[in-house]
């Protein structure tokens, strides 16, 4: 399998396991699937979640920041929810459980990437300016997963639901998609009131 899924920091995994073991945390989760599941849950597919805070047309490689580690929670072989962790002054801690369309979309994008003949490191990239989440296929599988430079040869796979005009599950090299994203956030012409 050419797709490399990095190992999550041990404290991040421990915090998710502790939350799953807490009846209060599970009961208070806003995920009906998680509250109604029968049987054990397994946190799998740990992915670092990076955030691209600002899309700029500078021509330099955009930098991201590592914001979370996300785990898909599986029951009986299927993802029913996800758990996010966040970095605190004390290290990685459980943040929240959630569900929604990005779960199935992430699984589909990962399956597609596993079929690629090219070796990549799997990450998630959140682009708040576009309300967009992508599977980030970093071109150097051995890099530290906390590194945050988008290389031109990296591949971004927009997850569904994707913003209008950007097709979900269609891989794009960063060098090709970044100009499209830049145009999407550029201010439009001012309307004259004359």
């Amino acid at each position: 399998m050419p797709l490399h899924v990095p190992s999550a920091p041990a404290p991040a995994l421990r915090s998710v396991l502790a939350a799953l073991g807490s009846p209060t945390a599970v009961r208070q989760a806003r995920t009906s699937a998680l509250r109604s599941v029968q049987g054990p849950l397994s946190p799998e597919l740990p992915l670092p979640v990076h955030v691209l805070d600002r899309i700029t047309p500078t021509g330099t490689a955009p930098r991201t920041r590592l914001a979370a580690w996300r785990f898909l929670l599986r029951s009986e072989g299927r993802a029913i929810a996800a758990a996010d962790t966040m970095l605190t002054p004390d290290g990685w801690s459980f943040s929240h459980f959630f569900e929604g369309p990005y779960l199935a979309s992430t699984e589909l994008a990962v399956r597609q990437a596993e079929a690629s003949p090219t070796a990549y490191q799997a990450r998630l990239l959140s682009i708040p300016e576009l309300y967009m989440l992508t599977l980030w296929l970093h071109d150097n599988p051995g890099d530290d997963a906390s590194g945050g430079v988008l290389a031109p040869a990296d591949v971004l796979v927009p997850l569904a639901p994707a913003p209008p005009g950007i097709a979900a599950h269609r891989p794009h090299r960063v060098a090709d998609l970044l100009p499209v994203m830049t145009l999407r956030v550029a201010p439009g012409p001012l309307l004259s009131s004359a």
Side-chain angles (χ1 to χ4, degrees):
M1 172 173 82
L3 187 64
H4 173 71
V5 176
S7 297
L13 178 58
R14 280 195 304 270
S15 72
V16 169
L17 291 171
L20 287 171
S22 165
T24 303
V26 172
R27 203 171 32 255
Q28 291 179 353
R30 295 186 178 135
T31 58
S32 58
L34 190 60
R35 288 192 311 266
S36 64
V37 70
Q38 302 294 317
L41 288 164
S42 173
E44 298 177 7
L45 192 65
L47 294 172
V49 181
H50 290 259
V51 176
L52 180 61
D53 288 313
R54 190 91 179 113
I55 300 170
T56 57
T58 60
T60 60
R63 294 200 62 82
T64 68
R65 63 181 168 81
L66 178 62
W69 276 85
R70 178 165 299 162
F71 298 80
L72 293 186
L73 302 176
R74 293 192 188 283
S75 176
E76 298 179 355
R78 66 180 188 95
I80 60 159
D84 269 8
T85 62
M86 64 182 176
L87 190 57
T88 68
D90 295 325
W92 289 101
S93 297
F94 171 74
S95 174
H96 63 281
F97 295 118
F98 65 95
E99 61 186 327
Y102 286 130
L103 297 177
S105 189
T106 299
E107 284 190 305
L108 175 59
V110 165
R111 280 195 309 272
Q112 289 172 332
E114 288 173 335
S116 170
T118 306
Y120 291 109
Q121 181 188 81
R123 304 173 177 187
L124 292 173
L125 179 65
S126 174
I127 307 162
E129 284 183 289
L130 294 176
Y131 302 99
M132 182 174 168
L133 184 64
T134 71
L135 178 64
W136 174 7
L137 301 174
H138 184 56
D139 74 340
N140 189 341
D143 275 359
D144 179 358
S146 64
V149 177
L150 279 166
D154 287 356
V155 174
L156 298 177
V157 182
L159 301 180
I166 297 177
H169 297 286
R170 184 170 177 206
H172 302 271
R173 286 190 33 226
V174 166
D176 298 332
L177 187 58
L178 197 58
V180 173
M181 293 189 310
T182 301
L183 289 174
R184 297 293 311 244
V185 297
L190 295 175
L191 297 176
S192 171
S193 59

